[in-house]
Every structure is written in C-alpha cells, then in structure tokens.
Amino acid sequence: MKKIRIRKGVYCDSVRLLLLSREMGDLDGVDRAMAAMATPTNLEILGQLGWSLEEIGDVAENDLLAAVDAADERTLDAAFQWLETRLKERVSGTGKGYHPRTLRTAVADAPSANLVQISIPGAYAFREAKRALMNDKHVMLFSDNVSIEEEVALKDLAGDRGLLLMGPDCGTAIINGVCLGFANVVPRGPVGIVAASGTGAQEISVLLARGGIGVSQLIGTGGRDLSRKVAGRAMRLGLRALAADPETEVMVLVSKPPEPEVAERILTDAASCAKPVIVNFLGENPDRITRGNVRGAGNLEEAAQLAIQAAGRRAISLGEGGVPALVEQERSRLKPGQRFLRGLFVGGTLADEAMLLLKTELGTLYSNSPVPGCTLLVDSSVSRGHTVLDLGADEFTVGRAHPMIDPTLRNFRIVEEAMDSEVAVLLLDVVLGYGSHADPAGATAGAVEEARGMARKDDRDLVVVASVCGTEGDPQNLDEQEQKLRDVGVRVFASNAQACRFCRELLRSGHAEDS
Amino acid sequence: MGEIEEANRKAMDILLQAKPVLKGIGVAGKDIPGMTKTTILHAGPPIEWERMCGPMRGAVMGALLYERMASSLEEAEELAASGDITYEPCHHHQTVGPMAGIVSASMPVWIVENETHGNRAYCTLNEGLGKVLRYGGLGDEVIQRLRWMEGTLAPALARALELHGDIDLRTLIAQALEMGDEGHNRNRAGTSLLIRTLAPHIASVAESPAVASEVLGFLAANDHFFLNLTMPAAKCSLDPIADIPGSTVVSAMSRNGTEFGIRVSGLGGRWFTAPAPEVDGLYFPGYTADDANPDIGDSVICETAGFGGFAMASAPAIVQFVGGSVDLAVNSTREMYEITLAEHPFYRVPVLDFRGTPTGIDVRRVVETMIPPVINTGIAHKDPGVGQVGAGLVKPPMTCFEDALRAFADERSS
C-alpha cells in the first residue's frame, strides 16, 4: 500500500533526502520510499510512480513529502517514524581521526615524532624500517621474519645515523615513559634497561617498581641481537645511549646467554662506562660477569635487586616470608604418587628462568625449548615427567595469537595437565600490561577451577603456583588480578624466581623423592 | 635526486604554476585544432561507434541532427555507423567534455588559455540538467536548446566577455573552493561568481531586456554552468606535462562510458584502460542503480588537476554523496595526500586550515598504497535521452595504474 505524509515547512537539502530515501527504501517490508521537497517536479514523479496526490491537499515547495510503499499499515508507520527520527539527527564533525596510510604522510602530519613502531608482515618490514631510519626516526621493529642479513643492514644504518633500531621481533620497550608493545606501567626513575628479552625486561621493570624505583628507558634489541652475526649491535648502541643519558644512573642488561665473543665485547663496553651496570645473561655464572662497575646477576629478580641497591635505595622485601609453613600447607593437598611439576609459561624468558632455577633440584626436566641441562620434549603437545613449556614458541603460535594475548591454549593445557595423576604442581606466569589480554588472571582462574574439578573427580587435588608480572598502574590492575588467582586457591608470588623457589621447596622432600 | 624525482619535480612545477584564463568563446570547427566538419569528439579514451555506450551513441546522433547532417534518427544512426564520421577523443584535441563529451563543428566553445605556458583548452557550454545532449538526450527540445545556445547565448556571452576582458579562472576556482564548491560535483559558488562577473555586461550587450533576461535566467537555472570552465582550466593546466620523460605523474584520467583510461606524463600519449566501473551513488527520485550507465565523461580531469573529489573537504554541502559525514569528506581529501606529490599553492581547503589541495597523482604511490583516486561524478542513465539520474563516487580500476606503472618500468629498462 502506498501512502504519503507531509511535513509542513520542514526543509531538508536534496542530497540528504536522496540518502534518506535510499535508506528508507531498504527498511524491512518497504518496497519503495521517497523523501523529497514538494516541488512540482517531485509531485509529478510521485504521481507517475502511482501514489495518489489527492489526499495530500495543498502543499508548497518548502513542505517535505514522505512517500512510502509498504506491505501493511504497521510497516508504513514504522517507516514514517524512522524518517522522523533520522530528520532530527545531526551529523557533525571536523575530520578528526584520520589515520595516515603511509609513513610518508605520518611523518608529514607529525613532524616532531621521532620514533616509528613497525608491526607489519616481515617481508615488508625491512623497507619500511629503512624508510623510517632515512627519515631520521628511531625504530621499534615489532615484526618478526626479518632475515638476519636485513637486521644487520638496518642496525648498521641506524648506527651510522645515530638512531636506535629496536628489533626485529622486539616485543617490549618503554621510551620516555611511553610503553611500546608489551610493557608495564612503571614509574620513571634512574634505572635504564637494555634487553634482548621481552618478558625478562618486563619482569625486571615490574620488580623495580615493586621495589619503589623507576625506569629511565627500556630499550629492546630483538632476540637475535647477541648472536654472532648481529654481534650485539643494538645492545652496544643502547648501552652507549644510556651511558650518556643524564637521567640514567644504573644500567641493567638482560639477555639469554650470548655468543661468548659477543658477551665479552659487551662486557668490555659496560666496564668502560662510568655508571654501575647490572648484567643478567640467563644461565651464565654471575661471577664470570662481575668486574669493576659490572655486576653479574643470577636471575631477573636478583638483577632488579642489585639495580635497586646500586641506585642507592635499600632493597625492599618482595614478600617471601613464611615459606616453610606455606610449603607444608600446600603439600598437604597432594597424595602419594603426585610428584611432577608442569610449568606452563606465556613468557619465554620466564620459562628459561624457571628451567635454570629448577633443573638441578628436579633432575630430568623436559621442555619444548630447553636450556642447557634440560631435555628436549620431542612431542610438545604431551608433557612428561617434569616439564616446562614456553607456550609462546613458534610451534604454538602458528595461526593464532601469542598466549599473552589469547589465553585459550594455556587454559586448555592447564586442564589437560590436571588429568595426569602424577602431576603435583602447576607453575604459571601471568603477564599484565599493555598488549596483554584484558583479564589474564580471570581467564587463568577459570581454567584452574576446571582443572581442580577434574582432579577432584579422581579424588586428587593440585598445587597451583603463579607469579604475576604487573603493577598497580597496569590496565588490568595488579591487586585485582592477584586476588582473582588467590580466590581459586592459587599460591601467588611477586616474581617468577620466588614462585620457582617455592616449587623447588615443595618438591624437594617427600613426594619428589618418590621418583 | 633520482631521475624520476627530477622529472616529477619538473612536471609539478609546470602544473602548479599553471594559470588558466578564460579568453573568450569560439566555434569548435574553427578554433579546436584538427576539427573537420565530419569530426566528432567524444569523452574518454579512443572508442569506435560499435563499442560506444547508449548515452554516447545518443549524443552522437543528436549532434548529427544538430549539424543538419541527418534529418531523422534513423538517418543519424546510419551515418554514425557509416564510417564517414571521424571519432576522436576530446583529449586528443586540447578539449574536454562532460559526460558523453560530444563536440561537433558548429558548437560554441569556451577558449581557456594557460597563460604561464601559452597553451589552450576548449570545452562546450553547459546545457543544464535534464534532457540534454551530454547525457545522450534526444528530441527537439535538446536540438532547439543547442541552437539557442549557438545563436543567442554564445554571442551574448562572447560580447560580454569582450567588454569585461579575460577572466582569471584560477582565482575564480580558488574562491569557489572557499565557498563550498569542489569544482566537479558542486559548482554552485563558481557559477554564481561567474554570473556576478558577467551580469552587468550581459545586460549592456543584450539586444533587448528580454534576451538579457533569457540569458541570465538560463545561467541562474544551472548550478553546473561553471563545470564547463573548471574542466578546460584543469585540461590546459595538465596538457603541458603530457610528455615529460621519466615523470610518473598522471596527466589525464577519463572515461567514455565503456572504458576508464589514464595517461602518465612519462609515457606520453598512451592510454591505459580498463572497463568503466559502476558509480556508487545516490539516485534521483524514481531511479535506481539498474538505470545507471557505467562511469562516463572527461570531468575527472578536475581530480587529475587537484580538485573535484580531491577537494571534497571543501564541499560539506554534498558530503552525503560520500557517505554522510563531514569527517568522511575531510578524510577522503586527506587520504589523497597519500597518492599526490604536492599541495596546490592556489586551491586551498578552509577546513584543513587552508592547506593546498592534494595535487599531482603519482602512479607509483597509487600502486604502492592501493589507494584509488577519489572521484566525484554524476551518473548518466544507460539509455540515450534520459539524462542524469544521480551522483556519487567512483573508484577507478586499479589495473589502469598497475599497467601504466609496468609499462613505465619496461620503458626504463629497455
């Protein structure tokens, strides 16, 4: 049925009316619709299209016509009502929110910006990074799959131009207080960090914050920087930059064990600085690092503590009191035969650290990415004995997001491990901060409850131990996240090292000896 | 600086310094170089009668009737297909035409000169909306109007222009952009400015008050009258960069209703074509997308020269053609900076703090970013004789740009 309604003296420009006509015609049940000013031409067209003009009476050119052809009365009314609402809407704006489509435009739009973060498929990353450097911008290259030759070329170009190239595959940096990639909200302060390891850097910056001290800059280098070919180009440049930075009083270097010759060159550089340098090369004997102003640290927590001391602050206790009683309490959950540890990590460096802290005590320790002294788990989908998994390793992230972003994979694994009657303890890391999942503890807590439920069906229980890497300032909020874990019976620690030591104590006597 | 950058800088210097000036009104057959009595110019890249779309065929037949070379539609159609008529693109004759862009020997044409470079461009006078030749409109009223334009309008305007002297179109276009035009799909301000400039002289040269009234009334009833001046202004600004070896600047874009085509400065006169795309637009009451002809006309010369869709941010009144919000219009202009080499020193956008319009499309940047030039355009009915049925946005086919860039690379490597 066809019907016309008139709005006297309502003017609307013709283009807007064309748009409204089109949208009105697309409404459910409407066959055809037209909103137009009542000009002679428009009236003629309406007549030709079969609307009756008799019922509308006298109209003038400044009256608005709404003509609708619809299946029934209700649809007609709804369409007219829809038009009324739309006519009242205001469209406004000033062109804010344009996102440049090319680096060229971005550089022109924000000429004073001096850092470019690049997160595009690796095949294109070299070109864009080079462009950024040629525009005299520092670069954080989040992309991976950049060849080592390209990495060397970019780092040389950056060095020649006095710029920093962080990456490729650099996940974490804090520059002038701004978090880039995966990073935590920590105060600014006197400690400068140069890190070839993302979660290692996050852990140290968070522990510094817990100890009441801030970070001047956190420079990432990318995980391959200390390989023989790249030869610590970015770490040496970062070290030099921080050495010259008046806000930086103490420097911390963190990496997996480097090539010995590269390590030596970096330590020589570090020893020539006038500032204290704390070095944690994971797995390296600290005594072989320590020299002059350079102090070796055995793990991430120790690196943070030494940095706090070097900055002239008294180390604050990170809350590890009363462990023996807690160990007894947790151990009472276990039955004879429950003896294995399963470490499920989202942070690669935290997994490495866990292996290093646990391997001597636990004997054979399996991992999909073993540190020296641990054993390769050939099928990483099935744990055996004591196992520590890096769930951020390539084999787990093909075709899905990193577990720091998407907890699905680890949650699945938490439940799966709980079904193994020989498992005594699950060791987890929960990483907060920008880039991470919005509620990682909440997601983990759900999986822990489900895991416990599975175990109880089998008349068992589990010990679940976690460290939370985060601060009060993080978007997820440390307190709330820790509480969510405690609420489901997780034993929560302030650092990965503490959590590992707790597990070590738990498994040291009693059940661990059953094996 | 690399060779390409050097060539592009040269091209952009020429383009940005262009000063289009309206010199007068001539007659196509006399003034347009290479025109003969049997020549018919059309919009877009070269096309023969057999492949012409409906509106273009209609316009050709109408022109033959108007030229009295045929006395009936049947005769006109027979002659059009006979091979006796030479069809050539306007673009090959320093000319541009909106929609079908049909130009025949007797038609009056604007003469616009790029005073910086000394070259000229030509365009017919705009006939107004509705049933008109450029949309393939047929019938007595169309032919009568064309004859009136030839016999009354053109002489009056020509004499008025003589009295007034040359009109600086660069300034007029710059003013119109500041008054809410973008120079392609909205020409209300430009048309008003032109009428304001000529009206006193029209009044004094007209044979009678009735003729003056008729002429002024015709201009006042046609918001797009100025379009036929922005187009030759753009054309004569771009022609001097039509053949600069090594330059990747797009020197022309155009459509004949069957194909979309572009030319690139460093590749001279070669056209790179692909099937004409559909226009994404709003339709006048009573029409739908089913009625639309694919994209047609030389008017996209405006975008090529740095206004039209590229100055969309200047024309908030017609933003609904691009999706309804002012933000979107502003951002569509901002996006064009991604694919252009310069900001126009005279054409400026108030809402962008009077930033110059994005000018000089670099075919490399289009292919690199996959951002197509944004083009505002009218929509012609697919059948001859119906006229304009809507307006909207059109995205040119990317293959034109890809083919051109490939050809450019081949040429340089050989």
Side-chain angles (χ1 to χ4, degrees):
Chain A
M1 57 198 303
K2 292 187 167 74
K3 204 154 196 167
I4 298 181
R5 280 198 195 164
I6 310 293
R7 289 293 313 273
K8 286 275 181 195
V10 172
Y11 174 79
C12 196
D13 82 85
S14 60
V15 178
R16 184 159 162 72
L17 288 173
L18 291 181
L19 191 77
L20 291 172
S21 299
R22 186 170 74 178
E23 290 180 24
M24 194 160 48
D26 287 342
L27 295 176
D28 276 346
V30 175
D31 290 334
R32 186 164 213 160
M34 178 172 153
M37 299 310 293
T39 61
T41 321
N42 287 336
L43 287 171
E44 193 185 319
I45 290 168
L46 274 182
Q48 284 166 6
L49 292 174
W51 269 278
S52 160
L53 301 175
E54 284 161 21
E55 57 185 279
I56 65 173
D58 277 351
V59 288
E61 287 192 12
N62 57 356
D63 297 335
L64 194 143
L65 293 172
V68 179
D69 183 1
D72 53 50
E73 197 81 36
R74 250 187 53 212
T75 315
L76 277 173
D77 284 342
F80 288 128
Q81 194 51 48
W82 176 90
L83 182 66
E84 284 298 310
T85 317
R86 290 301 307 270
L87 285 171
K88 284 183 195 137
E89 274 176 17
R90 294 188 85 91
V91 186
S92 66
T94 50
K96 300 283 186 304
Y98 179 73
H99 297 292
R101 299 271 298 268
T102 55
L103 183 61
R104 182 172 50 240
T105 308
V107 165
D109 281 3
S112 62
N114 66 355
L115 187 143
V116 177
Q117 185 176 1
I118 298 172
S119 177
I120 57 176
Y124 310 100
F126 174 76
R127 227 170 94 106
E128 289 299 312
K130 188 175 166 192
R131 277 186 179 169
L133 293 170
M134 294 309 287
N135 276 288
D136 288 318
K137 310 294 182 194
H138 303 288
V139 172
M140 181 198 183
L141 188 49
F142 191 87
S143 310
D144 56 5
N145 292 315
V146 175
S147 76
I148 203 150
E149 290 73 24
E150 287 176 331
E151 176 171 351
V152 169
L154 288 173
K155 285 181 171 170
D156 281 345
L157 179 62
D160 290 347
R161 302 181 72 87
L163 298 164
L164 275 178
L165 184 119
M166 299 185 280
D169 204 7
C170 173
T172 299
I174 303 176
I175 303 297
N176 295 336
V178 178
C179 293
L180 302 170
F182 297 96
N184 302 89
V185 180
V186 298
R188 299 206 63 181
V191 181
I193 303 169
V194 188
S197 127
T199 42
Q202 285 190 267
E203 176 86 341
I204 291 176
S205 69
V206 160
L207 292 174
L208 289 171
R210 287 192 186 231
I213 197 163
V215 169
S216 58
Q217 308 286 348
L218 194 173
I219 298 169
T221 65
R224 283 188 314 213
D225 191 62
L226 277 69
S227 64
R228 196 171 53 79
K229 275 191 179 158
V230 188
R233 280 169 164 83
M235 186 168 277
R236 298 180 71 197
L237 213 69
L239 188 62
R240 208 185 313 157
L242 292 181
D245 172 30
E247 284 176 35
T248 302
E249 297 167 23
V250 176
M251 294 180 279
V252 177
L253 307 181
V254 56
S255 167
K256 289 187 180 186
E259 285 284 321
E261 66 205 67
V262 179
E264 214 37 55
R265 208 177 305 171
I266 285 169
L267 292 174
T268 307
D269 281 6
S272 70
C273 294
K275 299 173 182 178
V277 185
I278 314 301
V279 179
N280 175 218
F281 289 156
L282 252 74
E284 180 68 276
N285 179 356
D287 294 340
R288 284 170 49 185
I289 292 170
T290 301
R291 62 194 75 180
N293 60 321
V294 182
R295 281 287 302 275
N299 57 57
L300 300 165
E301 184 185 59
E302 191 185 343
Q305 273 166 343
L306 289 172
I308 294 171
Q309 276 167 28
R313 316 297 206 275
R314 214 156 48 88
I316 294 173
S317 160
L318 295 171
E320 204 182 1
V323 168
L326 290 178
V327 167
E328 283 314 311
Q329 195 183 323
E330 289 294 327
R331 194 182 280 152
S332 66
R333 292 177 187 269
L334 302 176
K335 289 197 154 181
Q338 282 186 272
R339 53 195 175 134
F340 290 130
L341 171 135
R342 300 284 155 86
L344 304 174
F345 284 86
V346 299
T349 306
L350 299 177
D352 286 352
E353 187 183 54
M355 284 183 261
L356 290 164
L357 287 168
L358 293 167
K359 64 178 182 182
T360 329
E361 209 69 46
L362 299 187
T364 308
L365 179 54
Y366 293 94
S367 175
N368 61 324
S369 140
V371 300
C374 292
T375 310
L376 179 69
L377 181 67
V378 179
D379 178 1
S380 58
S381 65
V382 182
S383 304
R384 52 186 297 198
H386 297 297
T387 294
V388 169
L389 290 176
D390 172 10
L391 295 169
D394 292 345
E395 75 249 41
F396 291 118
T397 54
V398 174
R400 66 157 75 87
H402 193 279
M404 273 165 68
I405 300 167
D406 178 359
T408 314
L409 177 68
R410 181 164 73 176
N411 288 348
F412 176 75
R413 198 68 184 237
I414 286 172
V415 176
E416 200 173 60
E417 304 294 351
M419 287 152 76
D420 183 341
S421 63
E422 288 185 304
V423 169
V425 51
L426 298 179
L427 172 59
L428 311 172
D429 59 343
V430 175
V431 183
L432 314 184
Y434 287 112
S436 287
H437 186 267
D439 180 19
T444 307
V448 166
E449 283 203 289
E450 194 183 339
R452 281 237 161 85
M454 299 298 292
R456 285 205 184 100
K457 275 189 199 160
D458 200 22
D459 207 21
R460 288 179 284 119
D461 196 3
L462 281 169
V463 178
V464 186
V465 177
S467 67
V468 181
C469 176
T471 69
E472 290 307 313
D474 281 333
Q476 301 91 344
N477 189 290
L478 178 64
D479 257 0
E480 288 173 19
Q481 291 285 300
E482 287 188 337
Q483 195 54 49
K484 283 185 184 179
L485 293 170
R486 288 197 194 99
D487 286 349
V488 294
V490 176
R491 191 58 64 187
V492 178
F493 291 92
S495 76
N496 184 47
Q498 285 176 25
C500 291
R501 284 196 291 269
F502 183 85
C503 293
R504 205 162 63 187
E505 290 303 314
L506 187 83
L507 296 170
R508 185 195 295 278
S509 47
H511 298 81
E513 283 165 0
D514 294 346
S515 59
Chain B
M1 195 182 285
E3 277 173 64
I4 296 178
E5 277 65 34
E6 189 62 51
N8 282 344
R9 203 179 60 170
K10 184 179 167 193
M12 291 312 296
D13 277 350
I14 294 171
L15 176 56
L16 299 179
Q17 288 313 311
K19 188 187 179 194
V21 172
L22 173 56
K23 306 297 279 189
I25 290 181
V27 178
K30 268 194 266 172
D31 290 274
I32 295 178
M35 274 296 272
T36 67
K37 278 193 179 326
T38 52
T39 303
I40 286 196
L41 304 183
H42 61 79
I47 190 163
E48 52 296 342
W49 169 258
E50 289 71 25
R51 291 197 304 129
M52 283 181 192
C53 66
M56 187 173 276
R57 284 186 174 215
V60 167
M61 292 189 274
L64 295 175
L65 291 170
Y66 162 72
E67 294 290 346
R68 297 190 168 89
M69 294 164 77
S71 51
S72 69
L73 275 180
E74 293 70 34
E75 250 182 77
E77 188 165 6
E78 200 176 309
L79 176 58
S82 68
D84 291 341
I85 303 298
T86 311
Y87 298 106
E88 290 198 21
C90 292
H91 264 291
H92 294 186
H93 292 266
Q94 298 172 227
T95 302
V96 276
M99 289 295 149
I102 295 303
V103 183
S104 63
S106 310
M107 292 183 184
V109 289
W110 294 112
I111 302 172
V112 178
E113 185 169 312
N114 176 354
E115 286 195 342
T116 316
H117 221 76
N119 62 300
R120 289 186 163 190
Y122 307 88
C123 186
T124 54
L125 277 53
N126 195 293
E127 311 158 73
L129 294 169
K131 213 169 173 189
V132 288
L133 190 75
R134 70 177 186 282
Y135 284 101
L138 287 169
D140 284 350
E141 58 183 293
V142 177
I143 305 301
Q144 287 315 314
R145 189 187 305 108
L146 288 173
R147 295 205 203 292
W148 175 83
M149 288 170 72
E150 182 188 336
T152 306
L153 178 69
L157 289 176
R159 286 197 299 276
L161 255 178
E162 266 169 43
L163 217 56
H164 175 277
D166 297 348
I167 294 177
D168 177 358
L169 288 176
R170 187 172 68 182
T171 304
L172 222 55
I173 292 170
Q175 285 173 3
L177 293 183
E178 291 182 8
M179 293 167 69
D181 278 3
E182 41 70 278
H184 183 173
N185 238 359
R186 191 180 201 268
N187 285 294
R188 190 171 286 186
T191 300
S192 301
L193 289 170
L194 182 73
I195 295 173
R196 190 177 72 161
T197 308
L198 290 177
H201 308 292
I202 291 171
S204 70
V205 300
E207 291 159 22
S208 68
V211 170
S213 168
E214 213 178 305
V215 167
L216 286 167
F218 180 79
L219 302 186
N222 179 6
D223 279 344
H224 280 300
F225 196 70
F226 192 57
L227 172 65
N228 291 39
L229 285 169
T230 63
M231 287 174 56
K235 172 67 173 166
C236 72
S237 302
L238 284 158
D239 268 355
I241 69 159
D243 191 9
I244 296 176
S247 170
T248 52
V249 178
V250 174
S251 57
M253 297 194 285
S254 187
R255 321 82 104 194
N256 56 30
T258 305
E259 287 164 336
F260 191 104
I262 69 164
R263 289 166 130 180
V264 173
S265 176
L267 296 168
R270 286 171 68 180
W271 286 99
F272 297 89
T273 60
E278 309 276 310
V279 182
D280 177 21
L282 289 175
Y283 289 86
F284 296 158
Y287 296 106
T288 70
D290 295 336
D291 301 311
N293 196 74
D295 193 28
I296 184 168
D298 283 336
S299 52
V300 62
I301 197 72
C302 298
E303 281 78 4
T304 320
F307 54 97
F310 284 37
M312 196 63 210
S314 284
I318 56 165
V319 296
Q320 279 154 352
F321 284 124
V322 298
S325 82
V326 174
D327 278 353
L328 217 70
V330 171
N331 286 343
S332 71
T333 289
R334 293 193 66 175
E335 194 170 59
M336 291 303 99
Y337 290 107
E338 309 270 10
I339 57 168
T340 50
L341 290 170
E343 298 178 10
H344 203 285
F346 296 95
Y347 305 150
R348 292 172 180 280
V349 184
V351 75
L352 293 178
D353 280 333
F354 294 91
R355 191 173 174 184
T357 61
T359 306
I361 301 164
D362 185 342
V363 72
R364 294 175 307 173
R365 292 192 176 176
V366 174
V367 174
E368 180 196 354
T369 60
M370 283 290 139
I371 299 173
V374 53
I375 297 167
N376 289 348
T377 198
I379 306 172
H381 198 285
K382 64 186 174 190
D383 298 329
V386 181
Q388 185 175 3
V389 294
L393 280 186
V394 68
K395 279 187 179 157
M398 271 295 168
T399 50
C400 298
F401 298 88
E402 290 162 357
D403 290 349
L405 186 58
R406 225 172 267 127
F408 186 85
D410 288 348
E411 195 141 299
R412 288 177 68 79
S413 64
S414 63

